[in-house]
Amino acid sequence: MFELHHLSAQEQWDWLRRGEVTPRELTDHYLARIDRLDPGDDGVGAFVAVGADAARDRADELGRAGRSTAPLWGLPLADKDLTDRAGLPTGLGSRLSRGRVAEQDSEISAVLGEAGAVSLGKTATPEFGLTGYTEPVVGPVTRNPWRRDLGAGGSSGGAAAAVAAGLLPFAPGSDGGGSIRIPAAMTGLVGLKPSRGRVPAQSGITSLGGLAVGGPIARTVADAAMLLDAMVSPDGRAPRDHFALRAPGSPDGAWLGTAVRGEGRFQLGVLTASPWDDAYDVRVDPRLLGVLRDTADQLDALGHGVEDATLPGSGYPALFRTIWQAGAAGIPAETDDDFALLEPMTAWLVRRGRELRARELGAALAGLSAFEQSVIAAFDRFDAVLTPSLALLPPALGWHDADDPERAFEQQCLVSPFTSFVNVAGLPAITLPVAEVDGLPAGVQLIGRPGREDVLLAIGAQLERRLRWHRRHPDCW
């Protein structure tokens, strides 16, 4: 039986514009699904807060104002629980922040509101967004809609689980080391990490090392492009950049058109080694290597050039660990009672970060900047580089060590060794759900040149037309 969530976000927007559904009807549909599928011990656990009354009021307000050409007019989404939405709690996945209610919207929330979206609530994230799995002690544990005993990844795990389960048409996420691409890959979605400086409200420029940027999680390439366009420019005008440094502009303007057309032939590299190989025993599941090879064959059949790619040698693992620890040093834990509320991983990162000397931090930043330049130079002969999205299939809930932070950090690198170095390099990357392995989603990652999200979206659209992954859904669909 047909239901509204079976439509893509683009199709839902078209229905809204034609008056075939109202913002209130669409909002009520998703709120009913959230109420039915999300809570409980066996629920998806995608949401930490649902603002049903505020969402209905917002939808009614949009309906009274009349149909609009705003890029997200009437479309439901939700805010990751690292960003503020006025009137809702911002828990940051931590007992330390429990009870804090936002007084005003964060900038990205305001941008999405200006674009016409209806926020249904807050999606789950691990504590302070620091891990690639969403199983915070404060709760809820986010379950993979494809198999509820498996994790949904992180740190945008709640956002991805909500989209995969049909609780949202798409969702904004943020990505400092893979936090969009990891959960999107685990739940069978498209996840796009934009270039550093691309999204003005979440550019990465203000974060240590320039790592964390905002981007879309969606079921289709076009839906991801649609949300990216709104995040960059909610009114369709030139982006309101806050800094002189910014990502190069798109050759075609808006990304939605590029994603719909899906045109072009490109030179692609294929990479199977990761910068974590020298630090840990990284082993890519042979089935996922098979998915990578099959995708390379598909791209060859589409007329793209395909050849092997390599990474430059570096001391990347030690450099990244330093910057990740330093980034946690500012978490507002000061007393023993504060630290008692933190999870072991977070407490370990905070303490290690505060032990760093300025000279160590400066050397790490310089080393990572040199690494960025070397990666861009090594990939220069390619329009995009293809890697596995993940090295392993989605792990079981509780698989990551809850007591030994060193071991848990290593486990994250074993699952997702291909993501964090892209943040360090500031490059755009997209994960595409090209296959299933034993009934679970399996994806590939495409890494682009600086500012070339258009190439990633064009290639993604070509593969989507060929592989039709938007027709695959978990049982709860």
Side-chain angles (χ1 to χ4, degrees), residues 58-84:
R58 165 71 168 163
D60 288 341
E61 175 190 351
L62 292 171
R64 288 192 299 269
R67 293 193 286 276
S68 166
T69 57
L72 303 181
W73 186 77
L75 288 173
L77 45 70
D79 306 289
K80 185 176 177 179
D81 196 32
L82 299 181
T83 60
D84 288 344

Side-chain angles (χ1 to χ4, degrees), residues 133 135 142-144 147-153 186-187 394-397:
Y133 50 99
E135 302 172 37
T142 301
R143 300 176 181 275
N144 195 318
R147 251 185 57 187
R148 302 290 178 88
D149 60 329
L150 303 180
M186 289 191 183
T187 58
L397 292 168

Side-chain angles (χ1 to χ4, degrees), residues 263-354:
E263 297 172 344
R265 296 293 178 268
F266 304 101
Q267 189 64 29
L268 308 178
V270 179
L271 180 69
T272 57
S274 89
W276 292 100
D277 292 357
D278 293 336
Y280 301 121
D281 185 19
V282 174
R283 300 185 184 187
V284 182
D285 187 313
R287 295 169 295 181
L288 296 180
L289 286 176
V291 168
L292 182 73
R293 288 192 295 270
D294 290 345
T295 305
D297 289 343
Q298 295 279 359
L299 291 166
D300 178 71
L302 286 166
H304 301 288
V306 179
E307 60 180 291
D308 290 340
T310 58
L311 275 173
S314 71
Y316 176 84
L319 296 171
F320 185 82
R321 281 168 63 97
T322 298
I323 204 70
W324 203 247
Q325 291 165 355
I331 287 172
E334 305 299 337
T335 67
D336 289 343
D337 288 343
D338 289 344
F339 273 90
L341 294 174
L342 296 179
E343 298 176 24
M345 169 68 85
T346 307
W348 174 70
L349 288 169
V350 171
R351 290 192 173 102
R352 289 293 180 90
R354 293 178 183 177

Side-chain angles (χ1 to χ4, degrees), residues 266-270 382-386 446-449 455-456 459:
F266 304 101
Q267 189 64 29
L268 308 178
V270 179
F382 304 115
D383 296 298
V385 172
L386 182 73
L446 281 168
I447 305 166
R449 291 172 175 265
V455 172
L456 305 183
I459 298 170

Side-chain angles (χ1 to χ4, degrees), residues 225-249:
M226 180 185 191
L227 182 51
L228 176 64
D229 279 334
M231 296 175 78
V232 172
S233 175
D235 59 3
R237 300 179 182 178
R240 304 164 195 163
D241 292 302
H242 306 331
F243 306 95
L245 176 66
R246 61 177 182 173

Side-chain angles (χ1 to χ4, degrees), residues 111-142:
V111 164
L112 294 170
E114 183 182 351
V118 178
S119 175
L120 305 189
K122 306 294 288 292
T123 55
T125 184
E127 190 165 47
F128 295 100
L130 289 172
T131 63
Y133 50 99
T134 306
E135 302 172 37
V137 172
V138 72
V141 170
T142 301

Side-chain angles (χ1 to χ4, degrees), residues 408-463:
F409 187 89
E410 177 184 355
Q411 289 172 312
Q412 292 180 88
C413 298
L414 295 178
V415 173
S416 53
F418 300 99
T419 55
S420 66
F421 86 90
V422 187
N423 297 77
V424 169
L427 298 174
I430 192 169
T431 183
L432 302 168
V434 294
E436 286 186 21
V437 171
D438 294 340
L440 295 174
V444 296
Q445 175 181 239
L446 281 168
I447 305 166
R449 291 172 175 265
R452 296 310 302 267
E453 287 90 345
D454 60 309
V455 172
L456 305 183
L457 291 166
I459 298 170
Q462 294 172 19
L463 286 171

